[in-house]
Amino acid sequence: MTNSDGRESKKKEVIAIVGAGISGLLACKYCLSKGFDPIVFESESSIGGVWTKTVESTKLQTPKPFYQFSDYPWPDTVTELFPDQQTMLEYIESYANHFDLVRHIQFNNKVLSLSYEEDNNDGECNLWEEAFSSKGKWNVTVQDTRTLSAQVYKVDFVIVCLGRFSQVPNIPEFPPNKGPQTFEGEVIHSMDYSKMDSAAAANFVKGKHVAIVGFQKSGMDIAMECSTVNGVERPCSVVIRTPHWNVPDYFPWGFPMANLYLNRFSELTVHKPGEGLLLHLLATIFSPLRWAFSKFVESHIRHKLKLSKHGMVPEHSFLNELSSCLISTVPEGFYDRVEEGSIKLIKKAENFGFSKEGIVLDGQAEPIKSDLVILATGFKGIEKLKHIFESPKYQEFIAGSDDFAVPLYRECIHPRIPQLAIIGFSESIANLFTSEIRCRWLAEFLDGKFKLPDIKMMEKDIAEWDKYKKRYSKKYYRRSCIGALHIWHNDQLCKDMGWNPKRKRGLWAEWFEPYGPLDYSV
């Protein structure tokens, strides 16, 4: 048996990877680098995860220097700062082909369930003494989506790379007798719209009064496409439950946002999990600066997008938005469409239901008359993740105490679920960047280069991170997100692996230059 480098695979342990999106490909690549021969199960017929089925006009949300593989940079031929969906998919496919990852993937193979078989029960204190504890095996039940036949694989370790933005749509709860069944038009989720190609999507919305519920990235992109097709004759209505600090660009008042939030100095202004007395004092002293950074960015967004004119100024701070991983880029020309009347913003509708004619908002007698309603209301990522486990106990572990954030040590491992890691579920400001270093950390752990603390120490660390997330996300604490502390998080991973966490040359660069993927190339 040989790995992707042509060397003999000497590892006897079997590793299963669930999903061939970005995180799954990275997990495969770094497992191969350590001599393992992983099996990747992908339910679709191609790689790329969310990038295979997204609104066609969608572009990368993060500037591409911060969204690239550390050892496979963007080619010079890609000049756009925010590449489109097709360019992004081609980049991912090129990466997979370059490192010969595709031959390890079993396409059209959907993982139905995971169940853990223990050989013995020596007590929870030894769950993570080694990566491969020899205490048990995972049974991975896989269905061929073409023949519907199922097969069970027995493996030593599972890496779950399902992601949180697919498969299980988040459908709002509606008042009694005011659900979609009341509506005489059609109701779909943005997930279903995203599966259509450009021509099919245009034909689907053409000539219809479309209402979109949601004001994050998919909602704005779909609104733009609908307004392009139907114009001012049939304006697209966007129902907004919460205004957000969606950014027009990453250069507030001409200053790079990365210099405000992606360097070590900026992280000094934030209280960090496990910080000592000195860092605690510095974060307290610099708190006015933290406030000033936020107001500086907010003023730019308010000015450039004319948020006050449109009644779209959020009540929370930009730092809350960043800490919750809720930042979205406004499509170019979006508010021009609002000005011309092809997009109508229906603001601050906390609750809504349906009538025969369309959407009914609280406190408004007249419905938003519609032929088609598209729910851009996100996904139930935790529901999807927890239900892959057969064990009710493991399902409870995944859901955590509040069913919002999955409690993971180093955002990768649940202390009470042995021989399993979850990659790509916890977010950051640049998910590819974060997934890669986590996969490298996991590969080093699987290779026996370091050991994990005991369960109680891991749970204590998780609680510290949870405290940070709640402190800075406030009421928008709804998901696993390291937000404004990606360098601090990466420092911990580097120290575990025995790497020097300081990756820059020179004191000024170390403290004031932004950190990106290429800083972690080896």
Side-chain angles (χ1 to χ4, degrees):
M1 188 181 297
T2 58
N3 63 19
S4 62
D5 296 323
R7 294 181 284 109
E8 184 181 353
S9 179
K10 299 177 181 178
K11 309 286 187 182
K12 65 181 185 300
E13 294 87 1
V14 180
I15 297 175
I17 299 171
V18 184
I22 286 175
S23 295
L25 294 173
L26 285 162
C28 179
K29 190 253 186 184
Y30 285 104
C31 283
L32 288 168
S33 73
K34 296 298 180 182
F36 295 102
D37 189 34
I39 310 170
V40 183
F41 299 109
E42 170 53 51
S43 62
E44 302 294 336
S45 58
S46 60
I47 64 173
V50 294
W51 286 104
T52 62
K53 293 181 178 179
T54 188
V55 179
E56 198 156 322
S57 61
T58 294
K59 293 189 175 184
L60 187 63
Q61 291 290 284
T62 307
K64 77 174 190 288
F66 297 96
Y67 202 93
Q68 62 182 328
F69 301 101
S70 68
D71 54 358
Y72 196 73
W74 283 95
D76 294 337
T77 52
V78 179
T79 57
E80 302 88 352
L81 188 59
F82 300 96
D84 61 23
Q85 180 254 355
Q86 185 59 38
T87 305
M88 187 69 219
L89 190 56
E90 289 171 0
Y91 176 54
I92 296 168
E93 291 171 344
S94 178
Y95 173 84
N97 291 328
H98 179 78
F99 290 106
D100 195 20
L101 305 180
V102 177
R103 67 188 181 93
H104 297 274
I105 304 170
Q106 296 191 16
F107 291 106
N108 301 298
N109 272 244
K110 182 179 181 179
V111 174
L112 299 179
S113 65
L114 302 172
S115 63
Y116 187 65
E117 278 185 11
E118 290 188 271
D119 289 344
N120 53 65
N121 189 358
D122 295 332
E124 67 177 28
C125 61
N126 294 321
L127 276 181
W128 284 102
E129 189 172 340
E130 302 287 346
F132 305 101
S133 64
S134 299
K135 290 184 63 178
K137 303 273 187 180
W138 281 98
N139 291 321
V140 184
T141 303
V142 180
Q143 181 187 62
D144 187 313
T145 58
R146 297 158 298 187
T147 65
L148 301 183
S149 60
Q151 183 176 348
V152 178
Y153 293 79
K154 198 175 288 288
V155 304
D156 298 286
F157 200 96
V158 177
I159 307 175
V160 180
C161 302
L162 285 176
R164 60 188 307 147
F165 301 112
S166 63
Q167 296 183 13
V168 183
N170 176 43
I171 306 297
E173 293 184 5
F174 301 102
N177 302 317
K178 290 188 177 180
Q181 68 278 0
T182 308
F183 179 45
E184 292 183 343
E186 189 172 0
V187 181
I188 66 169
H189 190 268
S190 58
M191 174 181 72
D192 302 308
Y193 181 92
S194 299
K195 293 176 182 178
M196 305 177 192
D197 62 33
S198 182
N203 187 59
F204 181 63
V205 301
K206 187 175 182 179
K208 296 178 181 177
H209 291 283
V210 181
I212 298 168
V213 180
F215 196 56
Q216 290 298 95
K217 185 57 181 171
S218 60
M220 289 187 287
D221 284 342
I222 296 171
M224 287 291 286
E225 293 192 358
C226 291
S227 69
T228 298
V229 174
N230 291 324
V232 296
E233 293 79 15
R234 289 180 175 81
C236 173
S237 299
V238 182
V239 179
I240 301 161
R241 303 177 75 177
T242 306
H244 288 281
W245 291 110
N246 297 321
V247 299
D249 55 61
Y250 284 84
F251 295 90
W253 302 111
F255 190 81
M257 194 182 296
N259 291 78
L260 294 176
Y261 289 106
L262 300 185
N263 58 31
R264 287 193 182 277
F265 179 76
S266 68
E267 294 196 0
L268 284 180
T269 69
V270 179
H271 287 287
K272 292 168 279 295
E275 66 186 3
L277 178 60
L278 177 60
L279 290 177
H280 178 84
L281 289 173
L282 287 173
T284 303
I285 292 168
F286 287 143
S287 59
L289 193 58
R290 180 175 71 236
W291 176 86
F293 285 173
S294 195
K295 292 303 175 186
F296 179 73
V297 176
E298 290 167 25
S299 67
H300 171 72
I301 299 172
R302 290 175 64 141
H303 171 76
K304 190 159 186 178
L305 299 182
K306 303 176 183 176
L307 295 187
S308 296
K309 177 181 178 180
H310 299 294
M312 290 297 294
V313 179
E315 296 178 356
H316 58 281
S317 72
F318 182 78
L319 180 63
N320 295 154
E321 194 97 33
L322 182 72
S323 300
S324 308
C325 291
L326 289 172
I327 301 293
S328 295
T329 306
V330 177
E332 186 176 353
F334 181 88
Y335 280 95
D336 294 336
R337 302 283 178 94
V338 175
E339 295 270 1
E340 75 179 15
S342 60
I343 294 176
K344 289 186 176 181
L345 303 181
I346 314 296
K347 297 173 284 296
K348 296 186 180 179
E350 290 295 328
N351 297 296
F352 71 98
F354 287 90
S355 68
K356 288 183 179 181
E357 294 85 6
I359 294 174
V360 179
L361 305 178
D362 280 357
Q364 294 189 18
E366 289 296 315
I368 302 170
K369 294 184 179 180
S370 314
D371 304 307
L372 169 66
V373 174
I374 302 176
L375 301 175
T377 48
F379 295 85
K380 290 185 175 180
I382 291 180
E383 286 294 308
K384 177 179 69 169
L385 181 62
K386 76 178 185 181
H387 286 300
I388 199 173
F389 295 95
E390 285 190 5
S391 165
K393 178 177 69 174
Y394 287 169
Q395 291 181 11
E396 289 179 14
F397 289 161
I398 288 297
S401 59
D402 48 29
D403 214 24
F404 279 156
V406 179
L408 300 175
Y409 178 71
R410 298 293 193 250
E411 306 295 324
C412 299
I413 282 175
H414 194 289
R416 296 182 184 272
I417 303 180
Q419 295 162 240
L420 179 135
I422 298 170
I423 303 288
F425 198 83
S426 173
E427 297 175 80
S428 74
I429 49 174
N431 290 327
L432 185 155
F433 175 18
T434 310
S435 284
E436 180 169 15
I437 194 165
R438 289 171 183 166
C439 286
R440 295 168 81 172
W441 176 88
L442 181 61
E444 294 291 334
F445 171 61
L446 294 173
D447 200 34
K449 294 297 170 51
F450 64 91
K451 293 185 178 182
L452 299 181
D454 63 36
I455 287 177
K456 290 184 178 179
M457 288 296 294
M458 286 194 280
E459 289 181 336
K460 181 181 178 183
D461 186 82
I462 291 169
E464 286 287 328
W465 274 94
D466 203 50
K467 181 180 176 182
Y468 150 74
K469 293 168 187 174
K470 289 177 178 175
R471 177 172 190 165
Y472 289 104
S473 298
K474 297 191 183 298
K475 67 178 182 178
Y476 299 100
Y477 165 76
R478 286 183 173 83
R479 50 221 253 179
S480 303
C481 169
I482 61 170
L485 284 184
H486 83 288
I487 301 174
W488 182 256
H489 170 71
N490 288 351
D491 283 355
Q492 294 178 326
L493 301 182
C494 287
K495 290 173 184 176
D496 289 345
M497 293 186 286
W499 295 6
N500 181 1
K502 292 185 169 58
R503 315 294 296 180
K504 301 282 192 181
R505 292 184 178 180
L507 192 62
W508 177 267
E510 187 59 55
W511 283 99
F512 295 101
E513 286 186 4
Y515 258 81
L518 300 186
D519 291 308
Y520 294 90
S521 61
V522 176

